[in-house]
Amino acid sequence: MGDLGRVPVGIVGASGYGGVQLVRLLMDHPYLELVYLGGESSAGQSFSDLYPHLGHQIQQPIEPIDLEQIADRCQIVFLSLPNGLACKMAPTLLEKGCKVLDLSADYRFSELGIYTSWYGVERTDQAVAETAVYGLPELYRDRIIGAQLIGCPGCYPTASLLALSPLLKQGLIVPETAIIDAKSGTSGGGRQAKTNMLLAEADSSLGAYNVARHRHTPEIEQVCSDLAGHEVLVQFTPHLIPMPRGILATVYATLRDPGLVREDLLTIYSAFYRSSPWVRVLPSGIYPQTKWATGTNLCYIGLEVDPRTARVIVMSAIDNLMKGQAGQAIQCVNLMMGWEETLGLPKLAFYP
């Protein structure tokens, strides 16, 4: 245990947007103590050199990645790394008794063949991958509680699956008709310089990307198939929108019972998420906005039914760096440690 009995934790890949969100949350968590910040290209620098606005709180350096040292110092380790790196580190950390939360795609898939076909990385850690739990608490809370390894969901899948799950679990829609139209702020692309993320490129523009081939598609389909009880394919189209953070996913699907109305679905969704403190099902006629979730771990869900087309429209808004990444990882830690899942997480948005 760390100072004052707090649990010592480390972040590998601390210099990115996911890493800095974790740092912010860990500074305010009453039971967790940040004892290690690790990175490769940034090793040797002070964390405050990368993020000067945190210099009054964080004086720690970015250290080289040494798995033996990390395991000796940390009880919980967050791997906030590009895809294909966590799978090389997690087995060693787990073997040494650490709890591991992977924020990349490496441990999100139950079948590594699917991961390899979409991410192009050959794997040798099948046995370890089979122990991983998909870190979406609203669906897999019981499994997360007893887990040692969590594959934290992607930001798009989080927003999309929270919108779709009640419909699939209750068999309310024709699964193959599900269409997900989602829009994300630019922080979803990470902190590394990219031409399409430049202000002159992204500002005053809105466009789709990776149409019919985005890597989050099989992740969404895996969980949808689990909920429906058979293989499900979905149409997923992501868009880049010129704002720093936030995701709005709008989901369309054909209802099996065209007689269902909005109030029926509001009742079903409210019951489905009655034990989920981070999901807010909005009243009739209120539709979510990304700004409402900014800086929080909340997901806002709005519902509508179009009787002309017999389709349901579900809108889901999250902060992609919080409920879509770092906040959800902390939520999982709280469950893994037997704490309240709201512990140390912001409940009120930055507004306006």
Side-chain angles (χ1 to χ4, degrees), residues 88-257:
K88 300 175 182 178
M89 302 181 189
T92 298
L93 294 170
L94 291 165
E95 185 180 332
K96 293 183 175 297
C98 296
K99 295 181 185 294
V100 177
L101 294 100
D102 173 28
L103 276 67
S104 77
D106 287 13
Y107 290 105
R108 295 174 187 166
F109 295 90
S110 56
E111 296 182 25
L112 289 188
I114 296 175
Y115 171 86
T116 297
S117 66
W118 283 80
Y119 289 86
V121 177
E122 295 292 337
R123 301 277 291 275
T124 59
D125 59 331
Q126 176 70 45
V128 173
E130 289 175 356
T131 69
V133 174
Y134 192 70
L136 190 58
E138 288 72 21
L139 297 183
Y140 303 113
R141 185 176 285 106
D142 292 345
R143 300 183 198 175
I144 292 169
I145 288 172
Q148 290 292 114
L149 173 61
I150 299 293
C152 296
C155 50
Y156 277 128
T158 295
S160 303
L161 291 168
L162 290 176
L164 268 170
S165 291
L167 300 174
L168 290 165
K169 189 68 173 178
Q170 304 297 332
L172 299 175
I173 60 171
V174 180
E176 292 73 19
T177 66
I179 296 173
I180 303 166
D181 180 289
K183 298 167 180 66
S184 173
T186 58
S187 61
R191 202 180 189 215
Q192 289 187 341
K194 301 180 182 74
T195 300
N196 67 315
M197 298 295 181
L198 294 171
L199 179 64
E201 300 282 340
D203 192 35
S204 302
S205 183
L206 173 62
Y209 63 99
N210 290 344
V211 177
R213 56 186 176 87
H214 194 280
R215 288 175 169 179
H216 283 170
T217 303
E219 183 182 338
I220 296 170
E221 290 177 343
Q222 173 182 255
V223 178
C224 287
S225 300
D226 181 35
L227 292 167
H230 60 85
E231 185 177 358
V232 173
L233 300 180
V234 300
Q235 199 73 60
F236 169 61
T237 303
H239 301 74
L240 182 69
I241 197 163
M243 61 185 188
R245 57 204 297 164
I247 284 181
L248 179 68
T250 303
V251 177
Y252 306 86
T254 300
L255 290 165
R256 291 190 187 277
D257 180 358

